Amino acid sequence: MCKRAGPPPADPVAATLAQVERQAVWFERAGLAPEALALLGKELEAARVFRCAAPIPVTLVGSDVHPGNFLIDAAGKAWFTDLEKAQYGHPAIDLAHASLYTSTMWEREVAAVLAPDEVRAFHRAWEEAVPPALAEAARPWRRPLRRLTWLRTLSWMARWRVEGAALSPDMPESLATHMDAHAVDVLRPEIIRQVAAEWR
C-alpha cells in the first residue's frame, strides 16, 4: 500500500538544510580524512549562508529518486518505484538527487558517471516535460540545491560508514557490501572536490 504524501514544509529549502545540519554530526564520527572534513566544512558553510530571493516552487517529489529506484518499460517510459518517501517539496532537489555522482553510483546495475553535458541534457528534458512556469521557477534553485542535496546524501553516507547495514537491516548482504564501498568512495577528498567543482 502506498503512503499518502505528507504536508509540505513551509520552506522545503530550509527543511533540507535542517536535515543536513542534523546529519552533519556523522562527518566527525566517520573517521574521514582531515582534508575531506575541511572541504565538507566549507561546503556546509556555503549552504548555510546561501540566500535566494526567487519564489520556491512546491510540487510532489519522490525524495529518494536515485536511478536504481526507476524501472524503464518497453516504450522507454520511466516509472518511479519507491513511493514511501513521496512528499511535497522543491523539484530541484529531485533533479539533483537523480543526477549527482552520489546517486548515479548508488546501484551497481545502473551505475554511471554523468558528464556535465549529460546533466544539462537531463535538465533540458525535464524543463520540456513540465509547465514552462515551473521550469522557470525551479531554474535559479538548481545549482544551490545540488549542493544541498549532495550534502544531505553525503551526511547519510557518513552515518552509514559508522553504523553500516544496521541502517537498513533488510538490505541484501551483497548490496550492503556495495554500499560500504560506495560510502568510502563518495567521501574521499578527490571525489568531494570533483563533485563540488560543479558549483565553484
Side-chain angles (χ1 to χ4, degrees):
M1 175 177 269
C2 181
K3 289 172 61 178
R4 182 175 297 177
D11 181 339
V13 178
T16 303
L17 178 58
Q19 182 181 8
V20 171
E21 296 281 13
R22 289 191 301 272
Q23 295 182 161
V25 297
W26 294 99
F27 290 142
E28 290 286 348
R29 299 173 186 174
L32 305 185
E35 184 182 358
L37 285 173
L39 290 167
L40 290 168
K42 291 178 181 177
E43 293 297 327
L44 273 167
E45 187 55 32
R48 289 175 181 132
V49 302
F50 172 77
R51 298 291 182 273
C52 181
I56 298 177
V58 174
T59 64
L60 183 64
V61 297
S63 297
D64 192 18
V65 294
H66 66 80
N69 274 342
F70 288 86
L71 295 176
I72 310 298
D73 66 18
K77 184 175 182 178
W79 295 85
F80 182 56
T81 62
D82 190 355
L83 298 174
E84 65 180 18
K85 295 180 183 175
Q87 61 180 322
Y88 291 99
H90 201 302
I93 294 173
D94 269 6
L95 288 174
H97 193 49
S99 57
L100 282 160
Y101 179 88
T102 42
S103 300
T104 63
M105 296 297 289
W106 190 280
E107 294 267 2
R108 290 167 301 174
E109 291 78 6
V110 293
V113 180
L114 301 183
D117 284 350
E118 291 175 303
V119 174
R120 286 191 287 269
F122 169 60
H123 287 163
R124 284 195 302 271
W126 179 82
E127 288 196 346
E128 290 169 3
V130 302
L134 177 58
E136 183 177 353
R139 202 171 295 135
W141 293 99
R142 285 208 310 247
R143 183 172 291 178
L145 287 184
R146 279 184 80 73
R147 169 190 273 139
L148 199 55
T149 304
W150 173 67
L151 287 169
R152 182 187 75 176
T153 307
L154 284 185
S155 56
W156 189 90
M157 296 305 296
R159 184 177 180 184
W160 179 277
R161 282 185 59 160
V162 177
E163 298 188 344
L167 283 175
S168 299
D170 296 329
M171 183 179 288
E173 184 177 349
S174 60
L175 181 53
T177 300
H178 168 70
M179 290 298 294
D180 289 341
H182 185 49
V184 171
D185 178 48
V186 297
L187 288 161
R188 290 187 294 131
E190 53 268 41
I191 296 298
I192 293 171
R193 283 195 302 269
Q194 174 186 308
V195 175
E198 285 192 39
W199 43 81
R200 289 206 174 152

